[in-house]
């Protein structure tokens, strides 16, 4: 539990969730309950098991989603121990759903606000002021656990800290407070910008790790250029090569250099793009093929075969292995200022690029 609630921020998994749920419920830890609920929503468990957990620990959002997935006249095991442990309220909801009642509306996550931090209390007794002058009241020891900046300030003074200044704007400080305090704002594509900037200015390794996991995830709905720009702006240059691994074609990397904000990138980021381009040009992903006319062996960035009879196109690379047995036409471009050799044959025309980028 301590590893999950402290800035180490250990992820909830299928083994720890059953240990964390009773602790979070008994000690009224809303943030940890919220994380367990989010995990269970996306985790595969038997239907009644999920319903029982939602009923036992008052996870209303999980309960509503389970009822929405339930179809009228569906088969439900009503003889198991989990069913008999359900409350009467949930049994009534199951009965009504089985007989065709409409599923309840989804309970949205409650909006987060900073009202508890706008007034001084016994817990939040120290003031923190943004660069723009906005003031919030926080617990300095909790802030020090998440921020190296606050930890240094707390260790450098022997007396109590009454007011601290942070290097963030109001929006960045607001995003930082909501991201670290329970129930902890869920980081997504729309809010990662200010959260990542505040994590860098506050020197928060735990929050940086959470942001990096989102940026480097293949399921994130952000372009590679946007991810690269965010990492570069926050001086996370060691993550640039891993981010650029998502670029698989040289022409896509060239398109990134044509973005309007390309000039805003640092020299380090542009050099990382060049390194990735060199790797893609050396190994573009296709086998070397042999031109039957000029006897040259080259590796193209891409090859498209066109049948001269039906005028259909194919990118089947197995045709490359049959160039000796089948009369396949090839076009080999040796680059700028080079020569072009065309050969027509029974399988049509192949268009490729050697030493450069391919234009189909």
């Amino acid at each position: 539990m301590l590893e999950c609630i402290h800035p180490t921020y250990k992820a909830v998994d299928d083994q720890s969730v059953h240990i964390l749920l009773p602790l979070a419920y008994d000690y009224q830890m809303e943030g940890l309950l919220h994380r367990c609920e989010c995990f269970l929503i996306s985790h595969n468990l038997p239907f009644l098991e999920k319903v029982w957990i939602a009923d036992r620990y008052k996870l209303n959002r999980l309960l509503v989603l389970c009822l929405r997935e339930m179809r009228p006249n569906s088969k439900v095991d009503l003889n198991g121990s989990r069913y008999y442990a359900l409350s009467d309220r949930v049994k009534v909801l199951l009965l009504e759903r089985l007989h065709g009642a409409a599923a309840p509306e989804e309970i949205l996550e409650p909006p987060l606000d900073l009202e508890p931090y706008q007034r001084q209390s016994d817990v939040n007794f120290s003031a923190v002021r943004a660069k723009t002058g906005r003031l919030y009241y926080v617990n300095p020891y909790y802030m020090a656990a998440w921020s190296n900046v606050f930890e240094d300030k707390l260790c450098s003074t022997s007396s109590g800290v009454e007011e601290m200044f942070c290097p963030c704007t109001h929006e960045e400080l607001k995003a930082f407070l909501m991201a670290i305090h329970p129930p902890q704002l869920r980081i997504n594509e729309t809010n990662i910008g200010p959260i990542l900037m505040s994590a860098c200015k506050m020197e928060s390794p735990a929050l940086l790790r959470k942001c990096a996991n989102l940026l480097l995830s293949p399921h994130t709905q952000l372009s590679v250029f946007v991810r690269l720009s965010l990492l570069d702006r926050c001086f996370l240059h060691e993550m640039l090569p891993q981010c650029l691994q998502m670029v698989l074609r040289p022409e896509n990397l060239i398109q990134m250099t044509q973005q309007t904000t390309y000039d805003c990138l640092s020299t380090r980021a542009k050099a990382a793009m060049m390194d990735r381009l060199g790797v893609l040009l050396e190994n573009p992903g296709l086998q070397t093929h042999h031109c039957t006319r000029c006897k040259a062996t080259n590796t193209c960035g891409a090859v498209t075969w066109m049948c001269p009879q039906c005028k259909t196109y194919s990118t089947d690379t197995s045709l490359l292995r049959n160039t000796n047995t089948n009369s396949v036409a090839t076009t080999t471009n040796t680059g700028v200022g080079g020569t072009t050799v065309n050969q027509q044959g029974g399988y049509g025309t192949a268009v490729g690029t050697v030493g450069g980028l391919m234009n189909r």
Side-chain angles (χ1 to χ4, degrees), residues 89-121:
R89 178 182 69 96
V90 175
K91 289 180 180 179
V92 171
L93 291 174
L94 290 175
L95 175 65
E96 294 175 351
R97 185 66 177 141
L98 284 173
H99 287 274
E105 295 294 330
E106 182 177 354
I107 301 177
L108 300 177
E109 296 183 24
L112 301 178
D113 57 59
L114 294 176
E115 183 180 355
Y117 311 104
Q118 293 176 352
R119 58 183 181 275
Q120 193 173 17
S121 64

Side-chain angles (χ1 to χ4, degrees), residues 9 41 45 74 106-107 115 119 170 183 200 214 247 251 259 278 281 293-294 297 321 331 342 344 352 359:
Y9 210 75
I41 288 174
L45 279 177
S74 59
E106 182 177 354
I107 301 177
E115 183 180 355
R119 58 183 181 275
H170 169 229
C200 290
L214 177 66
V247 183
E251 54 266 34
Q259 298 286 336
L281 291 178
R293 183 170 183 177
C294 66
T297 301
R321 295 189 291 269
T331 298
N342 296 319
Q344 298 290 335
N359 291 319

Side-chain angles (χ1 to χ4, degrees), residues 12-308:
V12 179
D13 53 36
D14 53 353
Q15 295 181 353
S16 62
V17 67
H18 300 288
I19 302 174
L20 296 173
L21 272 173
L23 292 173
Y25 182 76
D26 292 340
Y27 289 98
Q28 301 179 13
M29 304 170 66
E30 295 182 2
L32 189 55
L33 274 176
H34 175 74
R35 289 180 57 195
C36 293
E37 184 178 33
C38 293
F39 170 78
L40 290 171
I41 288 174
S42 59
H43 187 59
N44 290 327
L45 279 177
F47 174 75
L48 274 183
E49 180 75 15
K50 270 192 177 183
V51 173
W52 177 82
I53 291 176
D55 183 33
R56 168 67 176 81
Y57 300 108
K58 303 296 186 292
L59 305 178
N60 292 327
R61 184 164 173 258
L62 176 63
L63 177 61
V64 168
L65 292 177
C66 290
L67 293 174
R68 288 171 65 90
E69 293 176 0
M70 184 181 178
R71 295 291 179 264
N73 301 322
S74 59
K75 295 182 179 180
V76 180
D77 182 15
L78 303 181
N79 296 319
S81 59
R82 290 306 188 198
Y83 171 76
Y84 290 110
L86 294 177
S87 64
D88 293 341
R89 178 182 69 96
V90 175
K91 289 180 180 179
V92 171
L93 291 174
L94 290 175
L95 175 65
E96 294 175 351
R97 185 66 177 141
L98 284 173
H99 287 274
E105 295 294 330
E106 182 177 354
I107 301 177
L108 300 177
E109 296 183 24
L112 301 178
D113 57 59
L114 294 176
E115 183 180 355
Y117 311 104
Q118 293 176 352
R119 58 183 181 275
Q120 193 173 17
S121 64
D122 293 337
V123 176
N124 302 321
F125 54 87
S126 181
V128 56
R129 189 181 298 275
K131 288 196 304 183
T132 52
R134 190 63 182 267
L135 187 71
Y136 292 103
Y137 291 96
V138 297
N139 188 306
Y141 301 101
Y142 186 81
M143 293 286 289
W146 281 90
S147 169
N148 293 339
V149 173
F150 279 88
E151 184 181 8
D152 294 340
K153 291 182 179 180
L154 201 61
C155 294
S156 61
T157 178
S158 57
S159 59
V161 180
E162 296 182 356
E163 183 171 340
M164 297 178 290
F165 294 89
C166 73
C168 299
T169 64
H170 169 229
E171 290 299 324
E172 292 169 350
L173 178 59
K174 180 180 177 181
F176 183 79
L177 294 178
M178 289 193 297
I180 67 172
H181 285 90
Q184 294 182 341
L185 178 67
R186 189 183 305 180
I187 303 175
N188 53 37
E189 292 86 347
T190 59
N191 59 23
I192 190 174
I195 294 178
L196 183 60
M197 289 299 299
S198 65
C200 290
K201 293 180 180 180
M202 293 289 200
E203 299 180 14
S204 175
L207 195 55
L208 279 174
R209 184 166 59 251
K210 291 176 63 177
C211 294
N213 290 337
L214 177 66
L215 285 176
L216 300 178
S217 172
H219 305 292
T220 303
Q221 301 298 319
L222 288 175
S223 66
V224 179
F225 185 79
V226 172
R227 306 181 199 211
L228 185 74
S229 301
L230 287 172
L231 293 174
D232 181 49
R233 188 179 178 187
C234 297
F235 303 100
L236 301 176
H237 295 144
E238 66 277 2
M239 298 182 182
L240 296 180
Q242 186 177 355
C243 177
L244 289 171
Q245 291 291 328
M246 302 178 188
V247 183
L248 303 178
R249 300 179 65 87
E251 54 266 34
N252 295 339
L253 200 58
I254 294 298
Q255 291 174 1
M256 292 171 60
T257 63
Q258 300 170 357
Q259 298 286 336
T260 55
T261 55
Y262 169 76
D263 292 334
C264 299
L265 295 178
S266 67
T267 305
R268 184 82 173 270
K270 295 176 181 178
M273 293 174 62
M274 186 60 199
D275 293 340
R276 181 58 180 167
L277 180 62
V279 173
L280 292 175
L281 291 178
E282 287 181 4
N283 185 19
L286 288 178
Q287 306 176 30
T288 57
H289 65 277
H290 184 71
C291 180
T292 57
R293 183 170 183 177
C294 66
K295 309 302 182 183
T297 301
N298 298 297
T299 303
C300 291
V303 173
T304 300
W305 305 94
M306 184 185 73
C307 175

